[in-house]
Structure formats: structure tokens, C-alpha cells
Amino acid sequence: KHIFNAQVSIRAPCCKQWFDCAECHAETQDHMLKKTTEMAFMCKKCKKAFRKDMSNYEESDEFCPHCDNHYVVDAKTPQAVIGVEGEDARVDARMLKDDRVQQDPTRSIFSRDFSDRVG
């Protein structure tokens, strides 16, 4: 909610619960977040927990040590697009039929006389 595309959860050292960010902890708990130099993280991709020493935190520490997943993936802002909601057009193209082009009702396979060809 506060950090879009967060790829890790943080374990609060005070109440031992998992949160996506410090703001989520502040909204749901009635106590302040306890400060610590060693934080526990859990990767949302590989579901493995790990600890990081925050006193000498570097940019290379922004990746999961198990699966090399980056902690925060850049959020993409949605663009407004007009489109047709429905199934994939490559699978079912019935929604793409253009009703503005009317078919000639006299041209049909049923309007022809095939009596001489049928037995």
C-alpha cells in the first residue's frame, strides 16, 4: 500500500510480526517500531527469510541472497487505453466482427437450387 511492488516483508523486532513497511506497522499497531541495526527480511519470490546488518548497508544489499530478486521493482504507471474487454482475439474473434458491413441475404448456400445434384 505504501511501497508499490515491495518484494520483501520486514519482521518488526518489537512484536515479531511481518509487515511490508514501517508505515504498515504504524497503522496497525499501537506501539512504536523498535529500532535495530540487524533486520529480518523475507523474500516474497522465494519465500525465504534472511538477516541484514543495517549499520554497513550497501546498494548491493538490495537483492535477496537466495534468489537474487531485487527488493523493490520499479512501478509502472498505467496508461489510459480504450479497448474491448473480453477474451484474447487470437483465440476467439467473434467480438471483432464488424456489424457495419451487412451481408447480402440473397447470397447463401441455402438459396441455391441443388436438386439436380442430390440423388
Side-chain angles (χ1 to χ4, degrees):
K1 174 176 165 179
H2 302 103
I3 300 174
F4 296 112
N5 297 331
Q7 298 295 306
V8 292
S9 292
I10 302 167
R11 187 171 186 194
C14 48
C15 56
K16 307 293 186 211
Q17 293 181 9
W18 294 95
F19 297 96
D20 283 343
C21 66
E23 288 86 9
C24 292
H25 178 273
E27 283 183 358
T28 58
Q29 304 299 317
D30 57 353
H31 60 273
M32 295 292 292
L33 183 63
K34 182 180 171 186
K35 296 188 184 218
T36 182
T37 57
E38 185 176 274
M39 293 186 66
F41 296 97
M42 182 178 291
C43 179
K44 291 182 179 180
K45 183 177 180 184
C46 67
K47 308 287 189 224
K48 292 185 180 177
F50 55 94
R51 296 183 181 272
K52 290 280 183 181
D53 185 15
M54 303 308 282
S55 60
N56 56 359
Y57 190 80
E58 298 175 3
E59 195 171 317
S60 63
D61 291 333
E62 292 184 4
F63 295 89
C64 174
H66 303 288
C67 67
D68 207 31
N69 187 30
H70 196 267
Y71 289 177
V72 179
V73 178
D74 293 334
K76 295 179 181 176
T77 55
Q79 300 293 326
V81 177
I82 297 175
V84 176
E85 230 177 84
E87 297 294 323
D88 190 2
R90 294 170 288 185
V91 176
D92 186 11
R94 288 181 293 174
M95 288 185 68
L96 299 177
K97 181 182 175 188
D98 191 3
D99 292 329
R100 294 175 293 176
V101 178
Q102 296 295 326
Q103 299 293 329
D104 186 10
T106 59
R107 267 189 86 182
S108 171
I109 61 167
F110 301 108
S111 63
R112 290 187 170 174
D113 183 23
F114 292 112
S115 61
D116 60 332
R117 295 185 187 172
V118 179

